[in-house]
Amino acid sequence: MFEENLEAPENPNMHLNYYQKEDQVLLAVDCIIFGFDKENLKILLIKRNFEPEKGKWSLIGGFLKRDENLDEAAVRVLETLTGLNDIYLEQIHTYSKIDRDPGQRTISVAYYALIDVDSHRFDGIQIDAAHWFDIKEAPELIFDHNEMVRKAKARLKRRALTKPIGFELLPEKFTMRQLQNLYESILDKKLDKRNFINKINSLDVLIKLDEKDMSVSRKGAYLYVFDKDKYEKKVEEDGFIFKI
Amino acid sequence: MFEENLEAPENPNMHLNYYQKEDQVLLAVDCIIFGFDKENLKILLIKRNFEPEKGKWSLIGGFLKRDENLDEAAVRVLETLTGLNDIYLEQIHTYSKIDRDPGQRTISVAYYALIDVDSHRFDGIQIDAAHWFDIKEAPELIFDHNEMVRKAKARLKRRALTKPIGFELLPEKFTMRQLQNLYESILDKKLDKRNFINKINSLDVLIKLDEKDMSVSRKGAYLYVFDKDKYEKKVEEDGFIFKI
DNA sequence: TTTATAAGTGTTGTATTTACATTTTTAAAA
DNA sequence: TTTTAAAAATGTAAATACAACACTTATAAA
């Protein structure tokens, strides 16, 4: 089926070529990039400027290269297209329907990423065709990308309930209201304010600052920061689970 | 890097070859096959009879073919090596470390499978090199297979707490004690007998038969079957969640 | 007839979750 | 300067879920 270049210098073990009769495939990564602007959950999409499906909305993606693993490929794709690195990424699922991409047989590994929209005001984003959509108002996507987003939302919901990943979506300093807005967006339901604050406080991993955010109310709202060291120490020492 | 045969008859869309400069890889599936013998959780492993790592214990696996998706590949691998089909399978994670397989750059998609060891007494298993190990006594595996098993166990634990997948590991008729043994194996902890039975009964998805299993006690233990229709109707009608 | 063994069965205390309303602070407007 | 408007801050009681716990029953085998 394929002729392989057994001398390819990138793979020092190529001489141990035990599997040479097997079919090879193109492996892509696609990133579901979630953002939060202190009000609503967003998703970053691009308008494809190449075939197939040129002009339609799609996830950001790219192909795995010979010299990197999938996590690295996801980081590279994200950095290339948004200029951002040091972003929370997690693999979700691998999609392999035979005709999922009409261009060529392609298997795609989906990742989701979490970004604070405001702190990372990448100037206009590298690609002008990229746009933040409110998660509730995102357009139809190409291929099986809608299914990827559906699964990513479910995963985010599950993770957010048991791991402190929500803080990846917030600025370093945030108000309780913003934290609650975030959880309401992720869980897609209203939460009781007092119960939410009591729950968060009982976890005992936030530091309340003396500083207030005066931008939204007369009274002002105290700012908090996530105490990552304290959280990690608690996990380490007594198997603490961050549970909303 | 690779020369592609653009006329390959297997892919009718090959003429739309938009991505031809990209690297291709071998995609494998590896199956973590869990079994249960009414007492303990088991894992099915094979002694590799080919290089590399010939003679060492490994998961059962194979390569994705051009005309199938990953789920189909996993079913095929499972059926080829055990003779079993119609088995519960779930994709877990995709592994891509560059040198994970010294034979050649290979990316592997891990699946786990659930089998009732006794009901599927495949005669000696297709491959004589295959063996059921108690999950607590399994040997070291090749490559990153240990990591795959670790993740599969975690996934199984999580799933078993919220979905009725445990019944995939039991014969059609089972006793409460066997069900409890199963959950104790999966969760790796002892459960209180009365609390467990009360919990299961409150879920109201088992049918208690008039029949008893007399093989283990003088008194005999009532047999139960999982009422799948009832479960599905409950899920459908009021979003019921099977929660242990 | 006795014995040995697993099966079967409920209650009570504890912890967690949910429901719910008033007061406080302060900038802006009057 | 006083008033007003709007979000922030705060605690308790009821309901539910979870955890701990021990004796009686049925039956085959001795």
Side-chain angles (χ1 to χ4, degrees):
Chain A
M1 308 291 166
F2 295 94
E3 285 209 10
E4 291 165 4
N5 175 358
L6 299 183
E7 306 307 319
E10 289 85 354
N11 184 345
N13 290 311
M14 216 39 142
H15 62 284
L16 299 167
N17 197 327
Y18 293 100
Y19 313 130
Q20 52 189 303
K21 300 170 313 305
E22 306 293 342
D23 297 340
Q24 299 205 39
V25 295
L26 274 179
L27 199 50
V29 296
D30 284 306
C31 297
I32 296 94
I33 305 175
F34 290 115
F36 186 65
D37 64 356
K38 304 189 183 70
E39 295 279 342
N40 294 296
L41 198 61
K42 309 278 185 181
I43 184 169
L44 188 65
L45 301 173
I46 55 163
K47 194 171 266 184
R48 257 170 98 98
N49 62 357
F50 54 92
E51 293 293 351
E53 301 279 12
K54 185 171 172 176
K56 298 206 181 153
W57 291 101
S58 120
L59 296 171
I60 281 166
F63 290 99
L64 178 73
K65 293 191 188 301
R66 184 185 288 269
D67 60 351
E68 64 186 4
N69 64 31
L70 285 163
D71 289 0
E72 289 161 353
V75 168
R76 174 177 54 77
V77 164
L78 206 58
E79 184 166 5
T80 304
L81 295 173
T82 67
L84 304 176
N85 53 14
D86 198 26
I87 293 297
Y88 182 90
L89 271 167
E90 183 179 336
Q91 189 192 115
I92 303 176
H93 191 80
T94 299
Y95 294 84
S96 60
K97 220 178 80 187
I98 289 183
D99 292 319
R100 53 175 298 285
D101 181 334
Q104 190 169 337
R105 178 78 200 272
T106 304
I107 280 74
S108 175
V109 184
Y111 279 77
Y112 77 93
L114 303 179
I115 294 179
D116 163 31
V117 173
D118 297 316
S119 308
H120 294 104
R121 281 251 163 266
F122 27 90
D123 9 344
I125 308 172
Q126 253 62 350
I127 17 172
D128 29 298
H131 185 251
W132 282 112
F133 286 89
D134 190 293
I135 196 78
K136 303 278 216 184
E137 294 158 11
E140 285 296 303
L141 304 178
I142 61 165
F143 305 168
D144 46 8
H145 289 193
N146 293 304
E147 165 62 11
M148 292 180 182
V149 171
R150 196 197 56 70
K151 201 159 189 129
K153 282 159 71 178
R155 176 75 67 97
L156 174 59
K157 192 181 286 197
R158 191 157 52 69
R159 271 289 177 283
L161 287 171
T162 52
K163 291 276 156 70
I165 58 168
F167 305 110
E168 304 286 341
L169 287 157
L170 288 164
E172 199 193 343
K173 300 174 183 181
F174 51 86
T175 67
M176 278 289 180
R177 167 59 60 182
Q178 289 162 4
L179 186 60
Q180 186 176 342
N181 285 344
L182 173 61
Y183 273 91
E184 290 184 344
S185 286
I186 292 175
L187 303 177
D188 195 22
K189 70 173 180 192
K190 286 283 164 210
L191 301 173
D192 178 272
K193 179 165 55 155
R194 276 176 294 185
N195 290 341
F196 181 77
I197 291 174
N198 287 343
K199 167 65 80 175
I200 294 292
N201 283 333
S202 76
L203 296 176
D204 189 32
V205 289
L206 296 192
I207 298 167
K208 184 179 189 172
L209 305 179
D210 285 332
E211 209 175 331
K212 280 187 166 185
D213 172 359
M214 301 305 291
S215 68
V216 35
S217 78
R218 305 281 152 82
K219 185 178 179 179
Y222 281 105
L223 289 166
Y224 293 78
V225 294
F226 172 55
D227 190 340
K228 196 172 182 194
D229 292 343
K230 188 170 192 179
Y231 165 73
E232 282 170 358
K233 191 183 277 185
K234 284 165 81 109
V235 171
E236 173 80 19
E237 285 176 5
D238 42 279
F240 170 73
I241 292 173
F242 180 96
K243 193 160 174 320
I244 300 292
Chain B
M1 309 289 167
F2 294 95
E3 285 209 6
E4 292 165 0
N5 176 357
L6 301 183
E7 308 306 320
E10 290 83 354
N11 185 345
N13 292 309
M14 217 39 143
H15 61 285
L16 301 166
N17 197 327
Y18 293 99
Y19 314 128
Q20 54 188 302
K21 301 170 314 302
E22 306 293 343
D23 296 339
Q24 299 205 35
V25 295
L26 274 178
L27 240 199
V29 295
D30 283 305
C31 296
I32 297 94
I33 304 176
F34 291 115
F36 186 67
D37 64 356
K38 305 189 181 71
E39 295 279 342
N40 294 298
L41 197 61
K42 308 277 184 183
I43 184 171
L44 187 65
L45 301 172
I46 54 163
K47 194 169 267 186
R48 257 169 98 98
N49 63 356
F50 53 93
E51 292 293 349
E53 300 280 13
K54 185 170 174 175
K56 298 206 180 151
W57 291 101
S58 120
L59 295 172
I60 280 166
F63 290 97
L64 178 72
K65 293 191 188 302
R66 185 185 288 269
D67 60 350
E68 64 187 3
N69 64 30
L70 285 163
D71 288 1
E72 289 161 354
V75 169
R76 174 177 55 77
V77 164
L78 205 58
E79 184 166 5
T80 304
L81 295 174
T82 68
L84 304 177
N85 52 15
D86 198 27
I87 294 296
Y88 181 90
L89 271 168
E90 184 179 335
Q91 190 192 115
I92 302 176
H93 192 80
T94 299
Y95 294 84
S96 60
K97 221 179 79 189
I98 289 182
D99 292 318
R100 54 175 298 285
D101 181 334
Q104 190 169 338
R105 178 79 200 270
T106 304
I107 280 74
S108 175
V109 183
Y111 278 77
Y112 77 92
L114 302 180
I115 294 179
D116 163 33
V117 173
D118 296 318
S119 308
H120 295 104
R121 281 250 162 266
F122 27 88
D123 10 344
I125 306 173
Q126 252 62 349
I127 19 174
D128 29 295
H131 186 251
W132 283 112
F133 286 88
D134 190 293
I135 196 75
K136 303 277 216 184
E137 293 159 12
E140 285 295 303
L141 305 178
I142 61 165
F143 305 167
D144 46 9
H145 289 193
N146 293 304
E147 166 60 12
M148 292 181 182
V149 171
R150 198 197 54 72
K151 202 159 189 128
K153 283 159 70 177
R155 176 74 67 97
L156 174 59
K157 193 182 284 196
R158 192 156 53 69
R159 271 287 178 283
L161 288 171
T162 52
K163 291 276 155 71
I165 59 168
F167 305 110
E168 304 286 341
L169 287 157
L170 287 164
E172 198 193 344
K173 300 174 184 182
F174 51 86
T175 68
M176 277 289 180
R177 168 59 59 185
Q178 289 162 5
L179 186 60
Q180 185 176 344
N181 284 343
L182 172 62
Y183 273 90
E184 289 183 345
S185 287
I186 292 176
L187 303 177
D188 194 21
K189 68 173 181 194
K190 287 283 166 210
L191 301 174
D192 177 272
K193 177 167 58 157
R194 275 175 295 183
N195 289 342
F196 181 78
I197 292 174
N198 288 343
K199 167 65 81 174
I200 294 291
N201 284 332
S202 75
L203 295 175
D204 189 30
V205 289
L206 296 192
I207 297 166
K208 185 178 188 172
L209 305 178
D210 284 334
E211 210 174 328
K212 278 186 165 186
D213 172 358
M214 301 305 292
S215 67
V216 35
S217 78
R218 303 280 152 83
K219 185 178 178 181
Y222 282 104
L223 289 166
Y224 292 79
V225 295
F226 172 56
D227 189 341
K228 196 173 180 194
D229 291 344
K230 188 169 192 179
Y231 165 73
E232 283 171 357
K233 191 182 277 186
K234 284 166 81 107
V235 171
E236 174 80 20
E237 286 176 4
D238 41 278
F240 170 72
I241 292 173
F242 180 95
K243 193 161 173 323
I244 300 293

